[in-house]
Amino acid sequence: MAPDLERAERTALNGGVLPADVMYEILLRVPAKALCRLRLVCRSWRSLTSDPRFAREHLPRHPLLAARRPLWGQIYAVDMSGEIVKKIRIGIKNFKLSVQADLVCLAKTKRALVLNPGTGEIHALPDASLDIAESRCILGRIPSTGEYKAIRIGLHQDNEQAYECEVITLGGGGDQKWRVKSNPPIRVFPYSWSAAAVNGVAYFLPALVLYYSQNITRDSIVLFDLVTEEWRQTVLEGPVSAGLDGASRLKNNPHVELAKLSGCLVMAYHNNQHRSLDLWFLVDVDRGLWNKRYSMKYSHWMQEEAPYPLVVLDDGKVVLTWVGTSRTLITYDPRTGAWAYLVKLEDCHFMGMLEGSLLCSDLQY
């Protein structure tokens, strides 16, 4: 038996009615919102459910996503049943959102905040130094150090043909400031699901205008290394256009988006001809190797809106967000090829998966 369970047993967890390891497994099955209430029952329950190991085991069974209500200046932590586990009011409205691990970055013009949903703590970043129009902050994490960085990128305020970017390290202390970096090798599209940060690298799809002026395909990817804080000059070739010849590549304009699933960068390819969604996982960034792990045929009730993948559950099902009559969570079972509704989410806009638990947090800014 693990040491924490032995301690829990010595404190007569559950009044001795159940063995400690059995109670541990029962509590793992309780959703986060109910568990946050149950932990108030006694000290032993609170101690057990606040343990980092318990939190790490609980989260995969009860995934949480961060959703925004920009007009209300609110962030929701929502579970897969649509239950709002936590509401956090912030000081800005009409913000843009980026999620990385257990943090959420909220940005508007030159202002940005970083939120820890687990503690509710809000950390204001210094005002950005560049006048960038239509900018967005992408939050990333360096696995080797646990360090978080935010990259801000967008059009130059006075020159719509030029992109600019700057980077800031979270936890920089009193000298914390944005650092101006070189421009990307080609214009990128840093909005919503056209950008993702995975394992210390931020990935961006190219700007739409490039398809008509340069030999750049829609599934090409531009990389920013968060460790060196430099753009890689070589563009990563996407999996959709990789097998095409030059003429076909120029004609090909696939509908693709970027996502993070199971710790990997994923390109979601919406194949309109076959009415399917293919999920390509990047398995080797240096060699540009991709692996197509899912090919999902659309259901008859799916219309023009394409689903976007959020998370792969422990049972292998994929949870996606889809816009029908309203924002909806749906699942796809690769074993049966079946789609199913989970829940409609009212008033929830852009969403990203939280990888941190609301049960405990040891993050220090």
Side-chain angles (χ1 to χ4, degrees):
M1 184 182 295
D4 59 338
L5 294 185
E6 292 176 346
R7 290 194 300 270
E9 190 169 39
R10 286 197 299 269
T11 58
L13 181 62
N14 197 35
V17 176
L18 293 174
D21 54 350
V22 174
M23 196 62 200
Y24 186 92
E25 290 298 324
I26 291 174
L27 292 177
L28 279 177
R29 289 162 171 76
V30 178
K33 187 171 183 177
L35 195 58
C36 287
R37 294 194 297 265
L38 288 175
R39 69 195 306 181
L40 301 178
V41 170
C42 62
R43 290 181 180 179
S44 57
W45 282 22
R46 182 174 183 83
S47 175
L48 178 62
T49 57
S50 299
D51 184 87
R53 187 173 73 87
F54 180 90
R56 287 194 298 270
E57 293 185 21
H58 183 270
L59 184 62
R61 304 189 186 202
H62 309 276
L64 297 173
L65 57 86
R68 68 185 180 107
R69 295 189 69 190
L71 296 179
W72 293 83
Q74 290 181 331
I75 290 289
Y76 290 167
V78 184
D79 66 18
M80 295 295 102
S81 69
E83 181 82 14
I84 297 175
V85 178
K86 195 170 187 178
K87 293 182 182 179
I88 303 173
R89 187 176 296 278
I90 57 177
I92 56 176
K93 298 181 179 180
N94 297 318
F95 53 85
K96 299 170 184 176
L97 178 148
S98 174
V99 181
Q100 184 68 213
D102 51 2
L103 295 183
V104 178
C105 183
L106 316 158
K108 179 181 181 182
T109 59
K110 299 181 73 171
R111 186 182 180 192
L113 305 174
V114 175
L115 165 68
N116 181 342
T119 63
E121 183 179 2
I122 299 175
H123 177 69
L125 298 179
D127 286 348
S129 58
L130 295 174
D131 289 325
I132 302 177
E134 296 297 324
S135 67
R136 176 174 291 274
C137 283
I138 305 298
L139 190 63
R141 184 175 181 271
I142 301 171
S144 60
T145 63
E147 192 174 47
Y148 287 83
K149 294 184 179 182
I151 174 173
R152 180 172 175 261
I153 185 168
L155 287 170
H156 188 281
Q157 187 72 36
D158 301 319
N159 183 0
E160 294 187 357
Q161 300 303 314
Y163 266 75
E164 291 186 321
C165 77
E166 52 189 348
V167 177
I168 193 169
T169 302
L170 275 61
D175 60 346
Q176 187 181 38
K177 61 181 180 179
W178 291 90
R179 300 179 292 278
V180 179
K181 296 300 172 180
S182 62
N183 296 339
I186 63 174
R187 291 177 61 179
V188 299
F189 195 65
Y191 304 114
S192 297
W193 295 327
S194 293
V198 183
N199 294 329
V201 179
Y203 299 86
F204 300 90
L205 292 175
L208 296 173
V209 68
L210 294 180
Y211 311 148
Y212 307 104
S213 60
Q214 301 181 30
N215 186 17
I216 299 295
T217 59
R218 179 71 177 104
D219 61 334
S220 299
I221 300 177
V222 185
L223 287 69
F224 183 85
D225 192 318
L226 290 167
V227 177
T228 63
E229 299 185 0
E230 294 180 352
W231 293 95
R232 297 192 186 182
Q233 296 304 306
T234 302
V235 176
L236 177 65
E237 187 174 36
V240 181
S241 303
L244 303 177
D245 59 28
S248 299
R249 282 170 56 87
L250 290 176
K251 293 180 181 179
N252 190 35
N253 186 19
H255 177 188
V256 294
E257 295 168 322
L258 298 181
K260 180 182 178 182
L261 291 178
S262 303
C264 297
L265 178 76
V266 170
M267 178 169 285
Y269 168 43
H270 303 279
N271 190 325
N272 295 326
Q273 180 180 358
H274 296 97
R275 287 188 53 78
S276 65
L277 171 63
D278 297 336
L279 299 185
W280 290 85
F281 285 66
L282 181 63
V283 295
D284 191 320
V285 61
D286 295 322
R287 294 193 293 168
L289 298 180
W290 298 84
N291 178 24
K292 184 168 69 172
R293 298 184 187 175
Y294 299 89
S295 186
M296 314 174 186
K297 290 291 185 181
Y298 287 163
S299 179
H300 65 88
W301 43 263
M302 292 182 179
Q303 303 300 321
E304 297 300 322
E305 293 291 342
Y308 175 82
L310 291 174
V311 65
V312 179
L313 301 177
D314 284 349
D315 61 4
K317 293 180 181 178
V318 183
V319 178
L320 308 96
T321 177
W322 177 70
V323 180
T325 56
S326 64
R327 177 69 65 183
T328 304
L329 293 183
I330 58 178
T331 61
Y332 176 82
D333 190 336
R335 296 165 298 185
T336 63
W339 294 88
Y341 283 100
L342 273 182
V343 65
K344 289 186 177 181
L345 300 176
E346 301 295 338
D347 299 324
C348 289
H349 292 249
F350 175 82
M351 296 174 288
M353 297 306 302
L354 288 168
E355 298 174 20
S357 174
L358 299 186
L359 303 179
C360 69
S361 176
D362 57 1
L363 180 71
Q364 299 294 325
Y365 287 109

